[in-house]
Amino acid sequence: MDNQEIRKAGLKVTLPRVKILELLEASVPRHVSAEDVYKMLLEKGEEIGLATVYRVLTQFEAAGLVTRHNFEGGHAVFELDRGEHHDHIVCVLCGKVEEFMDATIEERQKEIAAEHGFEMEDHSLIIYGRCNNSSCPGRE
Amino acid sequence: MDNQEIRKAGLKVTLPRVKILELLEASVPRHVSAEDVYKMLLEKGEEIGLATVYRVLTQFEAAGLVTRHNFEGGHAVFELDRGEHHDHIVCVLCGKVEEFMDATIEERQKEIAAEHGFEMEDHSLIIYGRCNNSSCPGRE
DNA sequence: CTCGTAATGCAAAAGATTCTCATCTCTCTT
DNA sequence: AAGAGAGATGAGAATCTTTTGCATTACGAG
């Protein structure tokens, strides 16, 4: 059960934390903002404050349970960390997000970091483009 | 002179815009936030409002004169666009930023976007790591 | 040089995230 | 199972970044 994940992170197993983790696992939209989580909880009838959502999400991030992304738009989005690393492609027109993972790029990044005297710890790669989704606005 | 750059962007050549562009060209810290620009202008005795700094920076971005980056930390940073695209390596300990450009990665990105049915428009690649700078804190 | 439009400054607004603090609830201990 | 203490929560205030409204001012075409 999820509870172990929370406990392992050194956090008390409380209702807000369990509910938020469950919600992330249901992973409906893969990338959700704190506000999204808050609203989804409200819709489910859970009375969890926005401040708590932010706190819990930040704690989950510190514990390595979720990853925070700074896509453009002024607010951060979170996604459950399922172990496998991946990068993102975001449609600048409709906001659709797809994930990918490319060994070639991953490898080159480590080399580049080394060439600059850095030890790579993490990275963020986001490709912005126009998707060919039929429901995507701005298509001629 | 810079004025042409501004004019070409379809903007009037006003004192705030000229001063901000000059400041970006002096490129002291390569990556500055709107707040940074505002303070630097104040120090130089220029009475330019923060709102104007934001407006001008946004216009410059739209005109392709500067690029806006969403590094982590809740605020955006801008840098003068000198034509050549490049990505960044940021030290998680001291915040130092270095730039790099790798043809292999650039190429793969286009391919990946295409594989996902996207037409790449732009991308953001940031490598986070620990630098080996002697003045970098957190070195054992 | 004069006028109309676009730009600026200020202050208020808006959006996102954090903090304060009184209250509540896990968990560990008897 | 009951109690104590540390840690967590909720509501709202506070903070920070960025945007907007509006009256005033400054470009630049004619």
Side-chain angles (χ1 to χ4, degrees):
Chain A
M1 57 193 64
D2 317 333
N3 303 10
Q4 291 317 306
E5 308 251 38
I6 296 174
R7 209 180 297 276
K8 257 187 289 180
L11 302 169
K12 280 197 203 170
V13 179
T14 60
L15 191 138
R17 299 216 254 244
V18 171
K19 289 300 175 190
I20 291 174
L21 187 50
E22 274 178 6
L23 197 159
L24 290 173
E25 279 169 342
S27 76
V28 194
R30 281 300 320 284
H31 304 81
V32 292
S33 67
E35 190 76 33
D36 291 336
V37 171
Y38 175 64
K39 283 185 188 141
M40 290 163 99
L41 288 170
L42 275 190
E43 280 169 21
K44 289 185 152 206
E46 302 294 343
E47 290 293 332
I48 296 176
L50 181 54
T52 299
V53 173
Y54 273 103
R55 270 186 299 237
V56 171
L57 250 16
T58 300
Q59 293 159 341
F60 281 2
E61 184 196 14
L65 286 175
V66 307
T67 302
R68 178 197 304 254
H69 297 288
N70 293 296
F71 291 169
E72 35 194 51
H75 63 281
V77 295
F78 300 80
E79 82 176 302
L80 196 62
D81 204 337
R82 296 148 304 162
E84 347 103 29
H85 161 81
H86 60 260
D87 294 306
H88 301 91
I89 304 186
V90 181
C91 178
V92 295
L93 299 176
C94 66
K96 179 174 145 195
V97 178
E98 291 206 6
E99 302 173 352
F100 71 89
M101 155 62 188
D102 184 81
T104 305
I105 291 183
E106 297 292 320
E107 188 49 42
R108 271 305 284 149
Q109 287 185 36
K110 276 206 207 74
E111 290 170 21
I112 291 165
E115 285 166 16
H116 285 260
F118 281 65
E119 188 185 332
M120 182 164 98
E121 187 172 84
D122 192 12
H123 70 260
S124 156
L125 168 55
I126 305 165
I127 296 179
Y128 294 101
R130 305 165 197 285
C131 80
N132 61 1
N133 197 306
S134 54
S135 63
C136 179
R139 294 185 17 114
E140 51 310 31
Chain B
M1 58 192 67
D2 317 333
N3 303 10
Q4 291 316 308
E5 308 252 37
I6 297 174
R7 208 179 301 274
K8 256 187 288 180
L11 302 168
K12 279 200 205 170
V13 178
T14 61
L15 191 138
R17 299 215 254 240
V18 172
K19 289 299 175 189
I20 292 175
L21 187 49
E22 274 177 7
L23 197 159
L24 289 173
E25 280 171 339
S27 74
V28 196
R30 283 300 320 282
H31 305 79
V32 293
S33 66
E35 190 75 32
D36 291 336
V37 171
Y38 175 63
K39 284 186 189 143
M40 291 162 99
L41 288 171
L42 274 189
E43 281 168 21
K44 289 185 154 207
E46 302 293 343
E47 291 293 330
I48 297 177
L50 181 54
T52 300
V53 173
Y54 273 103
R55 271 186 295 235
V56 170
L57 250 16
T58 299
Q59 293 159 342
F60 281 2
E61 184 195 12
L65 287 175
V66 306
T67 303
R68 178 197 304 255
H69 297 287
N70 293 295
F71 292 170
E72 34 195 52
H75 62 282
V77 294
F78 300 80
E79 82 176 300
L80 196 61
D81 204 336
R82 296 149 303 162
E84 346 104 29
H85 160 80
H86 59 260
D87 294 307
H88 299 91
I89 304 186
V90 181
C91 177
V92 295
L93 299 177
C94 67
K96 181 174 145 194
V97 179
E98 290 206 9
E99 303 174 351
F100 71 89
M101 154 64 187
D102 184 82
T104 306
I105 291 183
E106 297 293 321
E107 188 48 42
R108 272 305 283 149
Q109 288 185 42
K110 275 204 208 76
E111 291 171 21
I112 291 166
E115 285 166 15
H116 286 260
F118 281 65
E119 186 184 335
M120 183 164 96
E121 187 171 86
D122 192 12
H123 70 259
S124 156
L125 168 55
I126 305 167
I127 296 180
Y128 294 100
R130 304 165 197 284
C131 78
N132 61 1
N133 196 305
S134 54
S135 64
C136 179
R139 299 195 1 124
E140 42 325 12

